[in-house]
Amino acid sequence: MTSGAAPLAGRVAIVTGSSRGIGKDVAHALAAAGAAVVVGARSEEPRPDPRLPGTIHEVAGAIEQAGGRALALRLEMRDPASIENCVSATVEHFGRIDIVVNNAAAFVGNLLERIEPRHVDVMTQVNIRGPLAMVRAALPHLRTAAEREGSAHVVNISSRAARFPGPGPYASRAGAREAAAPRDGAPKAPHQRRTPGRARGRAPPPHAGGPRTPPGGINTPGVLFGQSDPENPRLDFEIAEKMAKATLWIVRQPPSWTGHILYDEELCSEQGL
């Protein structure tokens, strides 16, 4: 890797939920573009369940083997102290923070009558409170980066299911039953409102882009986990190539380009990525 020619040379990014799936692919894309990447997630040790492969150390090691810079940090998005420690360790190790990618997510796909209060707590803490806490903790460093470099970026990964379907009544489907996330996208909907809201309020640092979603979903380990069991696991994982390309494009935009809700397929097509 020739860091001098890399578009993100000298920049530092935190990617949450990056031990596997979309976060892993985004981390690799940012590193390939020259950024130093903090690989933040809970998975420190390999799991016996093949449906959840990968660890933060494996991802960071692969980035370094490819010539990039990476730091593996255990990150629990439900724990404000863990988020603060992640930000502090990032600055201590790399000296700055320029990019935050809020990718970590938690969904419980049970039918509504089976959802327990603890499930709601997990989804709320990881999908809503955690990203807010991450931006809050990183904000002083992002502001410094914006003053020094002219831009700093927060990218919130959302879901197409979080879009408001419009006023009802809605056409019913035979046999349809009310279910909790991920079908209704409710845990990710705050991203759809928060990003344009912060941009409209000109809350520093500038948000280069907002949530991005695939049109039909990506077969990541997190998605396939609930569709199979350990005895008959689905392991046909897909690489989130367009999500990674879209993220890289977003964090290269000027500060005036902010507050957008984007869809990776459309963005890649429009920009020729």
Side-chain angles (χ1 to χ4, degrees):
M1 178 181 299
T2 57
S3 58
L8 298 182
R11 304 299 177 91
V12 176
I14 296 175
V15 183
T16 71
S18 49
S19 59
R20 62 180 66 92
I22 292 172
K24 169 187 173 181
D25 297 332
V26 167
H28 276 288
L30 294 175
V37 179
V38 170
V39 181
R42 294 185 304 166
S43 299
E44 294 184 278
E45 300 292 336
R47 298 193 183 192
D49 192 330
R51 296 174 297 170
L52 293 174
T55 70
I56 54 176
H57 301 292
E58 290 173 358
V59 175
I63 289 174
E64 291 178 337
Q65 288 179 5
R69 294 190 298 156
L71 174 65
L73 291 177
R74 188 183 192 283
L75 175 61
E76 170 56 79
M77 293 298 286
R78 298 177 62 189
D79 182 4
S82 178
I83 293 171
E84 293 280 354
N85 291 338
C86 176
V87 169
S88 298
T90 299
V91 175
E92 181 178 356
H93 190 83
F94 289 123
R96 58 192 288 172
I97 299 173
D98 302 87
I99 300 165
V100 170
V101 179
N102 277 316
N103 168 74
F107 297 105
V108 179
N110 290 335
L111 294 174
L112 188 59
E113 61 266 25
R114 298 176 184 171
I115 292 292
E116 300 179 12
R118 62 186 178 89
H119 297 147
V120 178
D121 289 342
V122 169
M123 290 190 290
T124 300
Q125 291 162 0
V126 174
N127 299 318
I128 301 176
R129 190 185 72 182
L132 282 172
M134 175 58 74
V135 175
R136 179 188 175 99
L139 193 57
H141 309 289
L142 291 168
R143 282 177 171 154
T144 298
E147 294 170 357
R148 179 178 54 229
E149 303 293 342
S151 64
H153 307 277
V154 175
V155 180
N156 296 315
I157 306 295
S158 183
S159 167
R160 188 176 290 260
R163 292 185 305 177
F164 178 53
Y170 309 114
S172 62
R173 292 175 299 169
R177 303 170 68 185
E178 184 173 8
R183 292 187 185 92
D184 61 4
K188 283 295 189 178
H191 281 329
Q192 306 285 58
R193 308 295 183 267
R194 183 184 307 131
T195 302
R198 287 185 59 85
R200 188 170 58 233
R202 296 188 180 276
H207 282 51
R212 298 165 301 95
T213 67
I218 301 173
N219 285 337
T220 63
V223 169
L224 295 183
F225 180 80
Q227 300 180 13
S228 61
D229 55 66
E231 287 71 33
N232 186 31
R234 281 196 61 184
L235 305 178
D236 52 326
F237 307 130
E238 296 177 338
I239 297 175
E241 182 179 8
K242 287 186 171 62
M243 294 286 278
K245 287 181 177 180
T247 301
L248 184 56
W249 184 89
I250 287 171
V251 300
R252 297 181 62 185
Q253 301 312 300
S256 58
W257 193 92
T258 183
H260 296 276
I261 296 176
L262 305 171
Y263 299 94
D264 65 328
E265 290 277 355
E266 288 92 330
L267 180 62
C268 288
S269 176
E270 291 170 1
Q271 300 299 326
L273 303 178

